[in-house]
Amino acid sequence: MSLYPLKFDPILKERLWGGTKLKQVLGKEITSDITGESWELSGVAGDVSIVANGKLKGCSLQELITKYPEEVLGKSVLERFGSEFPVLIKFIDAKQDLSIQLHPNDKLAKKRHNSFGKTEMWYVMDADKDAELIVGFNKTVTKDEYAKSIEENSLLALLNYEKVQEGDTFFINTGKIHAIGSGVLLAEIQQTSDVTYRVFDFNRKDKDGNYRELHTELALDAIDYEKKDDFKVSYNQNKDEVNSMVACPYFTTNYLDLTQPMELNVADRNSFTIYICVAGNASIANDFGQIDLQKGQTILIPAVSKTIHINTTKAKLLEVTI
């Protein structure tokens, strides 16, 4: 099979805190005023991405992996993660603050949920004036201090707030308490996992008048209570180069700010490659075909590819591999 660059139908999710920026800024075909997420590339059961272009249109990502496992994923990825697609790519629009939450590590997630943990990173694509993220604590706390703050409804006083603008990037390792603040639109790259421990939701009620479930007890043994300044990603933004952003066991992400065509030899990469367009547009080709990519779109280059050609005069891309 000639595995050309693959684009997938977005999986749109209404959320209590969602808005309309996915349509206004990224051109998604949303139909509500509370669309919070666009799942761009997903192997999560029940939400598996469907190919939107070419001869494979209508095939699911999982069907492709089942038929062409090594060609799609790459041998080393297949050996490490099996036939489950190991990352989940999303765009998130927070019109309101998201709940304060954290994610368990692999060991705890496997024990409790038979799932991977959830390490993730955020790239801010758009932010209202004074928009913020919550990332970690503003001081090291004990488990008892944290538990008391939950009981007394005073958790917010313990949290670290970060004002953000376009281009800011954050790495959220497991155990780190966090929340996306109102007015932020971002791209999220994460392990394939939907395990989230929600610990505070601003006492909001859903559309049916109910409080959303909190995971107070589950979170106690999953939280990293130490104050750490390890979350803000400093990265070069050199034009027409591959700039390293994040390298962790679960994904590697690079930043490309291109003003001219680029050719990449990926014969030895032994992994699929994902491109997320965060500004501008480009035409991207592998050995078997090409596709146009514009801001707010994501494509998958199968691992069987030997070369990648990016034709553009102005594009900013996030490149994700394993």
Side-chain angles (χ1 to χ4, degrees):
M1 168 58 66
S2 298
L3 290 171
Y4 52 87
L6 299 165
K7 191 179 289 185
F8 295 83
D9 293 319
I11 301 170
L12 301 173
K13 302 277 189 178
E14 290 190 356
R15 297 291 189 238
L16 178 68
W17 39 261
T20 57
K21 280 188 177 181
L22 291 172
K23 179 177 182 178
Q24 295 168 346
V25 180
L26 302 185
K28 301 295 179 185
E29 294 182 1
I30 65 173
T31 57
S32 82
D33 292 336
I34 55 167
T35 304
E37 300 184 11
S38 176
W39 290 24
E40 296 290 296
L41 188 50
S42 167
V44 175
D47 284 302
V48 178
S49 293
I50 304 297
V51 177
N53 67 306
K55 293 182 178 180
L56 294 169
K57 183 177 180 178
C59 290
S60 75
L61 176 60
Q62 197 56 55
E63 286 175 326
L64 291 179
I65 293 171
T66 299
K67 290 180 180 178
Y68 316 107
E70 192 170 320
E71 293 87 344
V72 173
L73 296 176
K75 185 177 181 181
S76 65
V77 176
L78 193 61
E79 289 172 350
R80 284 187 59 202
F81 297 100
S83 60
E84 183 172 0
F85 196 70
V87 293
L88 173 59
I89 308 296
K90 301 176 181 177
F91 294 120
I92 297 177
D93 170 25
K95 185 175 182 179
Q96 299 180 35
D97 296 330
L98 271 67
S99 63
I100 297 168
Q101 57 189 243
L102 59 129
H103 310 294
N105 61 29
D106 283 346
K107 183 177 180 181
L108 201 55
K110 180 69 174 176
K111 177 182 177 182
R112 290 179 174 174
H113 313 286
N114 194 30
S115 171
F116 288 113
K118 189 176 174 184
T119 297
E120 62 191 14
M121 67 166 281
W122 299 332
Y123 175 89
V124 176
M125 296 181 67
D126 185 80
D128 294 350
K129 187 172 185 268
D130 295 326
E132 296 179 316
L133 303 174
I134 289 172
V135 192
F137 293 105
N138 58 30
K139 65 176 184 177
T140 295
V141 300
T142 66
K143 184 188 287 189
D144 288 343
E145 285 175 318
Y146 166 80
K148 184 179 180 181
S149 77
I150 293 293
E151 289 177 13
E152 296 179 349
N153 204 27
S154 61
L155 174 63
L156 296 179
L158 297 178
L159 301 178
N160 174 57
Y161 295 80
E162 296 279 331
K163 288 194 183 305
V164 295
Q165 60 185 1
E166 181 185 347
D168 285 349
T169 301
F170 295 82
F171 181 70
I172 312 297
N173 49 326
T174 55
K176 190 178 297 297
I177 199 162
H178 62 273
I180 301 170
S182 63
V184 177
L185 173 69
L186 57 78
E188 179 176 275
I189 300 157
Q190 60 157 95
Q191 286 178 269
T192 290
S193 170
D194 214 18
V195 179
T196 295
Y197 294 162
R198 186 185 300 122
V199 298
F200 184 69
D201 197 28
F202 302 95
N203 304 311
R204 290 181 294 202
K205 294 181 179 180
D206 64 19
K207 62 183 180 180
D208 299 316
N210 301 313
Y211 293 111
R212 293 198 295 173
E213 181 183 5
L214 299 179
H215 308 96
T216 307
E217 293 300 319
L218 285 172
L220 288 174
D221 293 329
I223 294 175
D224 182 351
Y225 295 100
E226 187 177 347
K227 180 185 185 301
K228 295 177 180 175
D229 296 321
D230 59 352
F231 46 81
K232 186 77 177 284
V233 177
S234 176
Y235 64 99
N236 291 328
Q237 300 183 38
N238 299 326
K239 292 187 183 296
D240 303 311
E241 293 182 14
V242 177
N243 299 283
S244 176
M245 298 179 86
V246 168
C248 73
Y250 308 106
F251 51 81
T252 295
T253 304
N254 300 314
Y255 175 80
L256 285 68
D257 183 354
L258 302 180
T259 63
Q260 61 188 22
M262 175 179 281
E263 180 174 320
L264 299 166
N265 183 341
V266 295
D268 297 327
R269 183 165 278 180
N270 206 10
S271 165
F272 57 83
T273 302
I274 297 166
Y275 286 107
I276 306 164
C277 187
V278 296
N281 57 79
S283 176
I284 301 182
N286 70 352
D287 313 82
F288 308 107
Q290 72 86 35
I291 193 167
D292 292 331
L293 186 65
Q294 61 188 35
K295 181 178 178 179
Q297 295 183 335
T298 302
I299 60 166
L300 174 68
I301 308 289
V304 70
S305 307
K306 303 299 183 186
T307 58
I308 297 173
H309 303 268
I310 305 173
N311 189 20
T312 185
T313 57
K314 188 176 182 181
K316 295 180 181 179
L317 306 172
L318 303 184
E319 179 189 71
V320 183
T321 63
I322 300 293

